[in-house]
Amino acid sequence: MERTFHMLLYRAFHAQRSRLQPCLRELGLGPGQPKLLSYLSTHGPCRQRELADYFEIDPAAVCRMLDVLEKGGFVSRQPEEGSRRCDLFSLTTLGQAATAAWKRRSKEVEELALTGFSPEERAQFSAFLQRAYHNLHTGGGSSHA
């Protein structure tokens, strides 16, 4: 099989996801949900729209994920003060514990993936991934044929 950059990136992503999948099941979380919990852990209560904008995903998909997380007891919803149309979502105690467990497991998988990388290589790899994302997100300033 040809080892194109696209295929290598896909295979690395798939291997990472496979390593993290058991943790999702243990915590009772679905795909995509840990990132919402992690965002809430870092940024505090926020609106659904803020999550959708940050992760560049459909607000309806975020709404469905938040509904499931709320039913599972991971997040709570409160009306935003001064607004009848917007709710603020925040982590519950269960959500905080799940987020902490997810972050620990993610760090273990990250360390496994980067075994043998020097600190300089890790920093460089991170910078390369950030640059690739930026190029894809902004179009990289080139025209598309």
Side-chain angles (χ1 to χ4, degrees):
M1 173 181 276
E2 187 178 346
R3 302 290 183 180
T4 63
F5 180 77
H6 167 79
M7 188 54 66
L8 291 169
L9 193 57
Y10 171 78
R11 289 171 56 92
F13 168 76
H14 184 71
Q16 176 195 35
R17 188 173 57 182
S18 293
R19 290 278 180 166
L20 289 169
Q21 193 68 33
C23 185
L24 277 179
R25 285 191 296 273
E26 290 167 18
L27 295 172
L29 296 173
Q33 293 175 344
K35 67 184 173 195
L36 300 184
L37 297 179
S38 294
Y39 185 91
L40 290 170
S41 174
T42 302
H43 296 92
C46 71
R47 296 179 181 172
Q48 168 187 322
R49 184 70 191 182
E50 184 179 334
L51 290 163
D53 289 347
Y54 182 81
F55 290 109
E56 301 171 359
I57 54 178
D58 181 45
V62 171
C63 180
R64 289 188 296 274
M65 283 192 277
L66 287 170
D67 286 345
V68 171
L69 288 168
E70 184 178 21
K71 286 177 186 156
F74 296 100
V75 299
S76 64
R77 175 191 316 239
Q78 265 80 50
E80 184 176 17
E81 197 173 309
S83 174
R84 287 193 235 164
R85 295 182 51 208
C86 294
D87 290 332
L88 290 176
F89 292 87
S90 58
L91 290 180
T92 62
T93 302
L94 180 63
Q96 291 169 354
T99 302
W102 177 258
K103 287 180 178 181
R104 279 191 305 275
R105 182 64 182 139
S106 295
K107 186 66 175 164
E108 291 169 4
V109 171
E110 179 182 311
E111 287 302 315
L112 178 62
L114 298 175
T115 298
F117 283 66
S118 70
E120 295 79 16
E121 289 170 325
R122 288 175 182 225
Q124 192 175 34
F125 187 46
S126 179
F128 289 157
L129 288 173
Q130 289 175 18
R131 191 174 352 155
Y133 167 78
H134 176 76
N135 290 343
L136 291 168
H137 186 69
T138 64
S142 64
S143 61
H144 302 285

